[in-house]
Amino acid sequence: DVKVTQSSRYLVKRTGEKVFLECVQDMDHENMFWYRQDPGLGLRLIYFSYDVKMKEKGDIPEGYSVSREKKERFSLILESASTNQTSMYLCASSLSSGGSNEKLFFGSGTQLSVL
Amino acid sequence: GNSVTQMEGPVTLSEEAFLTINCTYTATGYPSLFWYVQYPGEGLQLLLKATKADDKGSNKGFEATYRKETTSFHLEKGSVQVSDSAVYFCALSDRSGYSTLTFGKGTMLLVSP
Protein backbone atom coordinates (compact mmCIF):
# COMPACT_ATOMS: atom_id res chain seq x y z
CA ASP A 1 0.00 0.00 0.00
CA VAL A 2 1.00 3.58 -0.58
CA LYS A 3 2.33 5.28 2.46
CA VAL A 4 2.21 9.02 2.93
CA THR A 5 4.15 10.07 5.99
CA GLN A 6 3.92 13.44 7.68
CA SER A 7 6.84 14.22 9.92
CA SER A 8 4.92 15.43 12.97
CA ARG A 9 1.54 14.53 14.42
CA TYR A 10 1.39 17.56 16.71
CA LEU A 11 3.32 20.80 16.47
CA VAL A 12 3.23 23.92 18.63
CA LYS A 13 4.84 27.11 17.34
CA ARG A 14 4.88 30.77 18.24
CA THR A 15 3.56 33.66 16.18
CA GLY A 16 6.16 34.86 13.69
CA GLU A 17 8.13 31.62 13.58
CA LYS A 18 9.03 29.98 10.29
CA VAL A 19 7.40 26.57 10.18
CA PHE A 20 8.19 23.59 7.97
CA LEU A 21 5.75 20.73 7.51
CA GLU A 22 7.25 17.74 5.77
CA CYS A 23 5.55 15.03 3.75
CA VAL A 24 7.06 11.96 2.10
CA GLN A 25 5.39 9.36 -0.14
CA ASP A 26 6.89 6.05 -1.10
CA MET A 27 5.08 5.07 -4.31
CA ASP A 28 6.63 7.29 -6.95
CA HIS A 29 3.50 9.40 -7.29
CA GLU A 30 3.58 12.39 -9.62
CA ASN A 31 1.15 14.62 -7.76
CA MET A 32 1.32 15.87 -4.19
CA PHE A 33 -1.06 18.15 -2.32
CA TRP A 34 -1.35 20.15 0.86
CA TYR A 35 -4.79 20.72 2.39
CA ARG A 36 -5.86 22.30 5.62
CA GLN A 37 -8.86 20.94 7.49
CA ASP A 38 -10.93 23.15 9.76
CA PRO A 39 -14.20 22.38 11.57
CA GLY A 40 -17.18 23.52 9.52
CA LEU A 41 -15.00 24.32 6.50
CA GLY A 42 -13.89 20.87 5.42
CA LEU A 43 -10.73 20.51 3.35
CA ARG A 44 -9.29 23.44 1.45
CA LEU A 45 -6.44 23.11 -1.01
CA ILE A 46 -3.38 25.22 -0.25
CA TYR A 47 -0.85 24.17 -2.90
CA PHE A 48 -0.17 21.23 -5.11
CA SER A 49 2.66 19.95 -7.26
CA TYR A 50 2.51 17.78 -10.36
CA ASP A 51 6.23 17.35 -10.83
CA VAL A 52 9.56 18.02 -9.18
CA LYS A 53 10.21 21.75 -8.77
CA MET A 54 6.72 22.54 -10.08
CA LYS A 55 4.00 24.04 -7.92
CA GLU A 56 0.52 25.43 -8.37
CA LYS A 57 -1.57 27.56 -6.05
CA GLY A 58 -4.72 26.06 -4.65
CA ASP A 59 -7.67 27.90 -3.21
CA ILE A 60 -5.98 29.43 -0.15
CA PRO A 61 -2.24 29.90 -0.82
CA GLU A 62 -1.82 33.19 1.07
CA GLY A 63 0.72 32.94 3.88
CA TYR A 64 2.14 29.65 2.60
CA SER A 65 4.80 28.46 0.23
CA VAL A 66 5.94 24.98 -0.84
CA SER A 67 9.03 23.18 -1.98
CA ARG A 68 9.42 20.02 -4.03
CA GLU A 69 13.08 19.31 -4.65
CA LYS A 70 12.62 15.54 -4.87
CA LYS A 71 9.71 13.57 -6.23
CA GLU A 72 8.91 11.85 -2.96
CA ARG A 73 9.01 14.91 -0.72
CA PHE A 74 6.69 17.92 -0.56
CA SER A 75 7.19 20.57 2.08
CA LEU A 76 4.76 23.23 3.25
CA ILE A 77 6.32 26.39 4.62
CA LEU A 78 4.71 29.02 6.81
CA GLU A 79 7.07 31.97 6.42
CA SER A 80 5.74 33.77 9.49
CA ALA A 81 3.20 31.75 11.40
CA SER A 82 0.04 33.45 12.58
CA THR A 83 -2.70 32.29 14.94
CA ASN A 84 -5.18 31.92 12.06
CA GLN A 85 -2.94 29.21 10.65
CA THR A 86 -3.73 26.96 13.59
CA SER A 87 -5.25 23.97 11.82
CA MET A 88 -4.95 20.32 10.84
CA TYR A 89 -2.71 20.03 7.78
CA LEU A 90 -3.14 17.04 5.49
CA CYS A 91 -0.71 15.94 2.81
CA ALA A 92 -1.85 13.73 -0.06
CA SER A 93 -0.44 12.18 -3.20
CA SER A 94 -1.82 10.65 -6.39
CA LEU A 95 -0.37 8.73 -9.27
CA SER A 96 -1.00 11.16 -12.14
CA SER A 97 -3.50 13.72 -13.34
CA GLY A 98 -6.58 13.04 -15.40
CA GLY A 99 -8.59 9.94 -16.24
CA SER A 100 -9.32 7.56 -13.42
CA ASN A 101 -6.25 8.38 -11.41
CA GLU A 102 -7.78 10.86 -9.01
CA LYS A 103 -7.47 8.58 -6.01
CA LEU A 104 -5.71 10.52 -3.32
CA PHE A 105 -3.66 8.85 -0.59
CA PHE A 106 -3.56 10.91 2.58
CA GLY A 107 -1.16 11.16 5.47
CA SER A 108 -2.46 11.12 9.04
CA GLY A 109 -2.17 14.88 9.37
CA THR A 110 -0.24 17.40 11.42
CA GLN A 111 -2.18 19.36 14.02
CA LEU A 112 -0.44 22.73 14.16
CA SER A 113 -1.11 25.16 16.98
CA VAL A 114 0.26 28.69 16.66
CA LEU A 115 0.33 30.56 19.96
CA GLY B 1 -16.56 27.28 -9.92
CA ASN B 2 -16.99 23.78 -8.60
CA SER B 3 -18.66 23.16 -5.28
CA VAL B 4 -19.95 20.30 -3.17
CA THR B 5 -22.72 20.57 -0.60
CA GLN B 6 -23.25 17.93 2.06
CA MET B 7 -25.84 17.60 4.76
CA GLU B 8 -24.68 18.92 8.08
CA GLY B 9 -23.96 16.57 10.90
CA PRO B 10 -23.61 14.97 13.18
CA VAL B 11 -25.80 12.14 12.00
CA THR B 12 -26.59 9.95 14.99
CA LEU B 13 -27.87 6.41 14.41
CA SER B 14 -28.29 3.17 16.26
CA GLU B 15 -26.48 0.08 15.06
CA GLU B 16 -28.21 -1.65 12.11
CA ALA B 17 -30.09 1.51 11.09
CA PHE B 18 -30.23 2.71 7.47
CA LEU B 19 -27.89 5.51 6.52
CA THR B 20 -28.24 8.26 3.96
CA ILE B 21 -25.83 11.17 3.68
CA ASN B 22 -26.89 13.66 1.02
CA CYS B 23 -24.43 15.22 -1.40
CA THR B 24 -25.12 17.57 -4.29
CA TYR B 25 -22.62 19.25 -6.54
CA THR B 26 -22.11 22.10 -8.97
CA ALA B 27 -19.57 21.64 -11.74
CA THR B 28 -18.93 22.37 -15.36
CA GLY B 29 -18.60 19.40 -17.63
CA TYR B 30 -18.74 15.84 -16.35
CA PRO B 31 -16.89 15.39 -13.09
CA SER B 32 -15.91 12.20 -11.34
CA LEU B 33 -17.50 11.86 -7.90
CA PHE B 34 -16.03 10.40 -4.73
CA TRP B 35 -16.76 9.58 -1.12
CA TYR B 36 -13.83 9.68 1.27
CA VAL B 37 -13.94 8.58 4.90
CA GLN B 38 -11.86 9.80 7.83
CA TYR B 39 -11.71 7.60 10.92
CA PRO B 40 -10.70 9.24 14.21
CA GLY B 41 -7.04 10.20 14.29
CA GLU B 42 -6.41 9.22 10.67
CA GLY B 43 -6.15 10.81 7.26
CA LEU B 44 -8.85 10.44 4.61
CA GLN B 45 -9.17 7.30 2.56
CA LEU B 46 -11.17 6.65 -0.58
CA LEU B 47 -14.42 4.80 0.13
CA LEU B 48 -15.96 4.68 -3.35
CA LYS B 49 -16.17 6.56 -6.61
CA ALA B 50 -18.18 6.91 -9.83
CA THR B 51 -16.83 8.36 -13.04
CA LYS B 52 -19.94 8.83 -15.21
CA ALA B 53 -23.68 9.33 -15.00
CA ASP B 54 -25.70 6.38 -13.63
CA ASP B 55 -22.56 4.64 -12.36
CA LYS B 56 -22.88 3.13 -8.90
CA GLY B 57 -19.85 3.05 -6.65
CA SER B 58 -19.82 0.54 -3.82
CA ASN B 59 -17.49 -0.64 -1.08
CA LYS B 60 -17.83 -2.14 2.43
CA GLY B 61 -21.64 -2.12 2.14
CA PHE B 62 -21.77 1.56 1.18
CA GLU B 63 -23.25 2.64 -2.15
CA ALA B 64 -23.69 5.87 -4.08
CA THR B 65 -25.17 6.47 -7.54
CA TYR B 66 -24.07 9.29 -9.84
CA ARG B 67 -27.28 11.15 -10.70
CA LYS B 68 -26.61 13.75 -13.38
CA GLU B 69 -30.21 14.92 -13.60
CA THR B 70 -30.28 15.86 -9.91
CA THR B 71 -26.52 16.57 -9.62
CA SER B 72 -26.39 14.28 -6.61
CA PHE B 73 -24.24 11.48 -5.21
CA HIS B 74 -25.93 10.39 -1.98
CA LEU B 75 -24.16 7.86 0.23
CA GLU B 76 -26.24 4.94 1.57
CA LYS B 77 -25.73 1.88 3.72
CA GLY B 78 -28.42 -0.58 4.67
CA SER B 79 -27.18 -1.45 8.16
CA VAL B 80 -24.56 0.66 9.90
CA GLN B 81 -22.12 -0.61 12.50
CA VAL B 82 -20.38 1.14 15.38
CA SER B 83 -17.15 0.86 13.40
CA ASP B 84 -18.66 3.08 10.67
CA SER B 85 -18.46 6.08 13.01
CA ALA B 86 -16.31 8.55 11.10
CA VAL B 87 -16.44 11.75 9.06
CA TYR B 88 -17.57 11.30 5.45
CA PHE B 89 -16.54 13.68 2.68
CA CYS B 90 -18.11 13.98 -0.74
CA ALA B 91 -15.77 15.25 -3.45
CA LEU B 92 -15.56 15.87 -7.17
CA SER B 93 -12.83 16.04 -9.74
CA ASP B 94 -13.48 18.10 -12.82
CA ARG B 95 -10.96 16.24 -15.01
CA SER B 96 -9.60 19.45 -16.43
CA GLY B 97 -6.15 20.73 -15.67
CA TYR B 98 -4.63 18.75 -12.84
CA SER B 99 -7.79 17.07 -11.58
CA THR B 100 -7.65 18.54 -8.13
CA LEU B 101 -10.47 17.45 -5.87
CA THR B 102 -13.07 19.79 -4.43
CA PHE B 103 -14.38 18.52 -1.10
CA GLY B 104 -17.58 19.10 0.79
CA LYS B 105 -17.42 20.16 4.43
CA GLY B 106 -17.81 16.65 5.75
CA THR B 107 -20.56 14.89 7.68
CA MET B 108 -19.84 13.23 10.99
CA LEU B 109 -21.58 9.90 11.58
CA LEU B 110 -21.96 8.58 15.11
CA VAL B 111 -23.30 5.04 15.52
CA SER B 112 -24.26 3.80 18.97
CA PRO B 113 -24.62 0.14 20.02
Side-chain angles (χ1 to χ4, degrees), chain B residues 4 11 29 32 36 40 49 54-55 69 75 81 84 88 99 107:
Chain B
V4 175
V11 173
S32 294
Y36 278 78
K49 72 174 187 180
D54 299 324
D55 267 3
E69 63 277 10
L75 182 68
Q81 305 300 313
D84 294 327
Y88 293 81
S99 293
T107 302

Side-chain angles (χ1 to χ4, degrees), chain B residues 66-87:
Chain B
Y66 189 142
R67 301 286 188 200
K68 186 169 177 292
E69 63 277 10
T70 54
T71 62
S72 65
F73 192 55
H74 304 322
L75 182 68
E76 296 181 337
K77 187 176 186 183
S79 176
V80 294
Q81 305 300 313
V82 172
S83 57
D84 294 327
S85 298
V87 181

Side-chain angles (χ1 to χ4, degrees), chain A residues 9 31 33 35 37 40-43 45 48 50 56 90 97-109, chain B residues 32 34 36 38 40-46 49 51 87 89 93 95 97-106:
Chain A
R9 183 73 179 95
N31 302 328
F33 307 81
Y35 287 87
Q37 181 180 11
L41 297 177
L43 273 73
L45 182 63
F48 64 102
Y50 55 91
E56 294 287 336
L90 294 173
S97 63
S100 61
N101 289 323
E102 301 102 337
K103 179 177 180 179
L104 295 187
F105 294 84
F106 281 85
S108 298
Chain B
S32 294
F34 306 82
Y36 278 78
Q38 184 179 32
E42 299 182 12
L44 281 72
Q45 55 186 277
L46 180 66
K49 72 174 187 180
T51 57
V87 181
F89 292 89
S93 170
R95 298 192 185 180
Y98 303 107
S99 293
T100 57
L101 296 188
T102 299
F103 286 88
K105 294 182 179 181

Side-chain angles (χ1 to χ4, degrees), chain A residues 7-23:
Chain A
S7 55
S8 303
R9 183 73 179 95
Y10 299 96
L11 211 52
V12 180
K13 296 292 181 181
R14 296 208 175 273
T15 302
E17 278 193 75
K18 190 170 186 176
V19 181
F20 293 85
L21 302 183
E22 306 288 346
C23 176

Side-chain angles (χ1 to χ4, degrees), chain A residues 4-100:
Chain A
V4 179
T5 303
Q6 294 184 230
S7 55
S8 303
R9 183 73 179 95
Y10 299 96
L11 211 52
V12 180
K13 296 292 181 181
R14 296 208 175 273
T15 302
E17 278 193 75
K18 190 170 186 176
V19 181
F20 293 85
L21 302 183
E22 306 288 346
C23 176
V24 177
Q25 50 94 3
D26 65 359
M27 282 299 290
D28 204 36
H29 280 180
E30 303 289 335
N31 302 328
M32 296 189 75
F33 307 81
W34 276 106
Y35 287 87
R36 63 177 282 176
Q37 181 180 11
D38 300 288
L41 297 177
L43 273 73
R44 293 179 290 167
L45 182 63
I46 305 171
Y47 267 97
F48 64 102
S49 168
Y50 55 91
D51 200 354
V52 176
K53 296 192 186 294
M54 305 303 288
K55 61 184 179 183
E56 294 287 336
K57 293 180 179 179
D59 299 319
I60 52 163
E62 297 78 18
Y64 303 94
S65 62
V66 290
S67 172
R68 193 162 180 206
E69 296 296 319
K70 294 184 177 181
K71 192 175 186 179
E72 67 271 17
R73 186 180 297 270
F74 191 37
S75 303
L76 180 69
I77 304 158
L78 287 66
E79 295 289 343
S80 178
S82 62
T83 54
N84 63 12
Q85 292 178 309
T86 291
S87 185
M88 171 68 80
Y89 289 88
L90 294 173
C91 176
S93 70
S94 68
L95 183 58
S96 64
S97 63
S100 61

